[in-house]
Amino acid sequence: MSDKNMDWKEALKSKDAFKDFITNYFRDHKELTGSYDIPSYYEHYTVTLDSREGIVITLVTGMNQTGGSGNVSAPLPFKQKETMTIEDFRNLVLHKKFADQNMSLADVFQTVAGVPDANDDNN
């Protein structure tokens, strides 16, 4: 797994290498999914690569049902779709706080999708 993280870090250094890395990743995995759940709130994201649109991040957020009065219903989930080019994503990664060597592609997409990090105390 650390070889994959090393490939990820090396690929960030070059526009072409990063494009190859992302293209190969999604050829092998088709999509990347993740989620964040707390008792009152949830977020689920799916990331795919589209040949025309580039990287496509679909984020579904909503409120979890809580106990209490039975007449209160949670609002429907909100679905949001964002697209960006592979190069825009590389620049976003390069200019954010992704210097941690242990951060994986999934960790980066989790941060890009706006999913809170349980280990992030100050941001």
Side-chain angles (χ1 to χ4, degrees):
M1 190 159 220
S2 59
D3 286 341
K4 293 286 184 194
N5 282 342
M6 219 36 174
D7 293 346
W8 161 250
K9 291 296 183 184
E10 281 300 310
L12 280 171
K13 296 177 183 178
S14 159
K15 177 180 178 177
D16 292 331
F18 189 72
K19 182 177 181 180
D20 290 344
F21 178 87
I22 292 293
T23 302
N24 290 334
Y25 179 88
F26 283 107
R27 182 178 37 234
D28 295 342
H29 297 92
K30 305 298 180 213
E31 68 179 21
L32 176 69
T33 60
S35 64
Y36 173 77
D37 287 287
I38 60 173
S40 61
Y41 176 79
Y42 65 87
E43 292 184 351
H44 303 279
Y45 67 89
T46 303
V47 183
T48 57
L49 182 63
D50 182 277
S51 61
R52 286 170 279 139
E53 295 184 82
I55 294 174
V56 180
I57 303 172
T58 304
L59 182 65
V60 178
T61 59
M63 304 299 287
N64 289 323
Q65 282 286 78
T66 58
S69 63
N71 295 338
V72 178
S73 63
L76 292 174
F78 176 72
K79 185 175 182 179
Q80 181 179 356
K81 180 179 169 183
E82 297 289 335
T83 60
M84 67 179 69
T85 67
I86 293 172
E87 180 58 12
D88 285 346
F89 179 65
R90 184 177 82 91
N91 282 310
L92 181 66
V93 172
L94 287 172
H95 295 101
K96 291 284 186 173
K97 59 177 184 171
F98 303 119
D100 182 356
Q101 241 179 332
N102 297 319
M103 188 167 268
S104 69
L105 183 60
D107 296 330
V108 173
F109 275 116
Q110 181 173 342
T111 304
V112 169
V115 180
D117 181 356
N119 298 324
D120 194 0
D121 297 324
N122 296 330
N123 292 330

